[in-house]
Amino acid sequence: MGIENVDATSADSVEVRVERIAAGGDGVGREPSGRVVFVPRTAPGDRVRVELVEQSDRWARGRAIEWLELGADHRGAPCVEYGLCGGCRLQHLAGAAQRDEKRRLVRETLRRIGRLELDVPAPVTAGGELGYRNRVTFTLRRLAGTVVAGYRELGAPDRVIDVPDCPLAEPAVREVWHDLRRMWGQEAAALPAGGELRLTLRGSVAGDVDLLVEGGEAGSRERLGHLVASVGGLVGCCHVHDDESIPVGTAGLRDTWQGLEYDLPPGVFLQVNREVSARMDQWLDERLGSLAGRSVLDLYAGVGARAVRWAALGARVVACEISRAACEAGRSVARHAGSAVTFVEGRVEDSISDLLPVDVVVVNPPRAGLPRSVTSELVSRGASALAYVSCDSATLARDLVRLSDGWQVEEVQPFDAFPQTAHVETIAWMTRR
């Protein structure tokens, strides 16, 4: 299990029985004194000796130095980099147990922050537990004549560990990452110069992959062109430098998303798990029912993957999104699909007062959740139904409290869109009080 040989009798070590998983993925147990201890890479039922690395009166953080007993669901991680990599947090836990913990986390977070006693079902899953990510982002650093390209180190986010392979990525993305590392040359000379780069690979359902390079110095278009030509499956690249986007080859990626053809500009948001995303949309569609003639407001709409479908089903849809590139991509696919969607470009809080009331509102905010001004507008001038798509249970619970004067939560459904990690997507379905 990659346990380091550390003096297990140290005065700073304690024995802990792990009881549950915390929101960030650490195991949670207690010292004999009752103080809570957070321990990465441990599972419920594990009995471990822990070296304490951070302490306060109420809690401590540590690292496991000796496993005295393994919980029933503790397993060997499927990734060889898991011992050091900070990208995944739950690979050591069997898949069904991961979903049980995510269900419990959503339920307890809603209870603790939102004072909501809700029946939270098991997370919906689809597809495989590995090979599901259509987009991955690596950090590349040039260090004293060598190159390290991978993810942040567990417990040391200022350091980057080299990751030659990520089993969470779709097969085509993994293959391009292998070839890219092989072909970028000594000290990654084919990539833009600079001490640190951010590299994002995104794959299409057809197996094409594009590369977004952020940071570094200008003047690498020719080298990047040779790199794109030499890596099979890599159809294009975009280098973003000082807010300037420099396309090489195909600028963006053509992808099919639930029957719609998108030309995705570099960097625009789309869900990383195709199959679970489809299940999320199916769940939403079942609750929306017939949309013919109804008005729908899609907030934080991205490229309009849901908005365009709903318009095709007869709804009058307005989509609000801050990204100009995403709005342009959404308008383009709507034209080709013959769907009448109005895209409003800008911040939701700046536009919402002009966009209400409607029949249905769907929100899919970033991890920080909804601004208070948005929740206030939704309470006072909302709709008959509201769906909240969340990637963070804590901000979801907070916002449900803010919305409670005008809205009644009818259902909450988690979705396991990020197996092996502690993240979970959740949809709350609400009706007007």
Side-chain angles (χ1 to χ4, degrees):
M1 287 181 292
I3 306 168
E4 297 183 30
N5 292 320
V6 179
D7 180 9
T9 63
S10 166
D12 288 328
S13 69
V14 295
E15 183 179 313
V16 172
R17 172 76 74 174
V18 178
E19 303 166 356
R20 56 187 174 84
I21 299 295
D26 292 348
V28 182
R30 292 185 183 273
E31 295 178 282
S33 67
R35 183 172 64 167
V36 171
V37 183
F38 297 91
V39 191
R41 302 298 196 256
T42 57
D46 286 357
R47 186 165 64 91
V48 293
R49 184 158 293 280
V50 177
E51 179 190 32
L52 301 180
V53 298
E54 186 179 358
Q55 303 187 54
S56 73
D57 291 339
R58 298 180 56 188
W59 58 269
R61 197 175 306 279
R63 62 189 180 102
I65 55 177
E66 184 182 4
W67 266 260
L68 306 172
E69 184 180 340
L70 291 179
D73 295 311
H74 195 133
R75 68 174 184 184
C79 178
V80 296
E81 310 295 344
Y82 187 63
L84 287 176
C85 182
C88 295
R89 296 301 178 94
L90 296 180
Q91 282 196 22
H92 63 284
L93 199 59
Q98 290 184 29
R99 292 186 287 277
D100 286 344
E101 288 297 316
K102 291 178 181 182
R103 175 188 185 183
R104 181 191 58 75
L105 282 167
V106 172
R107 184 178 65 242
E108 292 185 0
T109 301
L110 292 175
R111 178 188 300 141
R112 175 173 52 86
I113 298 176
R115 303 293 188 264
L116 293 167
E117 296 289 343
L118 297 171
D119 178 26
V120 178
V124 173
T125 186
E129 295 179 359
L130 298 172
Y132 65 84
R133 289 193 66 102
N134 61 52
R135 187 180 72 254
V136 290
T137 298
F138 301 98
T139 298
L140 181 145
R141 283 183 178 169
R142 295 179 172 99
L143 303 170
T146 188
V147 171
V148 175
Y151 297 128
R152 304 289 174 172
E153 182 175 328
L154 176 68
D158 58 320
R159 294 203 290 258
V160 175
I161 69 162
D162 201 53
V163 177
D165 182 35
C166 178
L168 265 60
E170 289 182 345
V173 174
R174 291 177 72 181
E175 189 64 31
V176 166
W177 180 238
H178 298 162
D179 289 348
L180 189 64
R181 292 170 58 94
R182 182 169 54 88
M183 300 301 296
W184 64 35
Q186 186 174 3
E187 298 188 31
L191 294 173
E196 181 168 312
L197 304 174
R198 179 180 167 94
L199 309 177
T200 299
L201 294 170
R202 182 184 353 227
S204 73
V205 70
D208 295 330
V209 178
D210 72 353
L211 170 66
L212 173 63
V213 182
E214 297 172 278
E217 301 174 9
S220 58
R221 183 192 295 269
E222 185 176 350
R223 297 197 307 275
L224 284 172
H226 289 311
L227 185 63
V228 170
S230 64
V231 175
L234 185 61
V235 297
C237 174
C238 182
H239 179 207
V240 176
H241 167 74
D242 288 343
D243 295 328
E244 180 185 8
S245 295
I246 304 168
V248 178
T250 303
L253 188 72
R254 189 162 186 80
D255 198 7
T256 302
W257 198 261
Q258 301 203 39
L260 296 170
E261 295 287 336
Y262 282 87
D263 289 312
L264 298 174
V268 299
F269 173 78
L270 202 59
Q271 291 283 355
V272 302
N273 190 321
R274 300 174 189 281
E275 296 190 60
V276 174
S277 179
R279 294 293 300 274
M280 292 170 67
D281 287 359
Q282 178 185 4
W283 191 91
L284 267 177
D285 289 350
E286 289 170 356
R287 278 133 193 91
L288 288 169
S290 174
L291 289 171
R294 299 171 71 192
S295 56
V296 178
L297 179 58
D298 189 8
L299 301 178
Y300 310 93
V303 296
R306 295 186 176 114
V308 176
R309 284 194 311 103
W310 292 333
L313 294 172
R316 303 188 306 276
V317 185
V318 175
C320 186
E321 167 59 41
I322 194 170
S323 166
R324 173 172 296 180
C327 287
E328 290 175 352
R331 292 185 186 107
S332 175
V333 75
R335 284 195 300 271
H336 286 95
S339 297
V341 180
T342 300
F343 278 86
V344 176
E345 181 186 325
R347 300 192 311 166
V348 168
E349 54 266 42
D350 294 338
S351 304
I352 189 169
S353 62
D354 297 326
L355 302 177
L356 292 172
V358 292
D359 295 323
V360 180
V361 178
V362 180
V363 300
N364 186 10
R367 189 167 299 278
L370 295 173
R372 187 179 288 274
S373 61
V374 174
T375 57
S376 297
E377 286 285 346
L378 291 173
V379 167
S380 62
R381 304 179 58 240
S384 59
L386 171 62
Y388 190 131
V389 184
S390 169
C391 61
D392 186 276
S393 300
T395 54
L396 171 64
R398 180 205 67 193
D399 289 347
L400 292 182
V401 173
R402 295 177 178 177
L403 291 164
S404 61
D405 286 345
W407 296 95
Q408 172 69 37
V409 180
E410 302 291 346
E411 291 182 81
V412 171
Q413 177 62 63
F415 294 82
D416 194 18
F418 308 97
Q420 318 307 332
T421 80
H423 299 300
V424 58
E425 292 277 315
T426 308
I427 304 180
W429 178 256
M430 291 168 274
T431 55
R432 174 65 70 180
R433 286 188 184 279

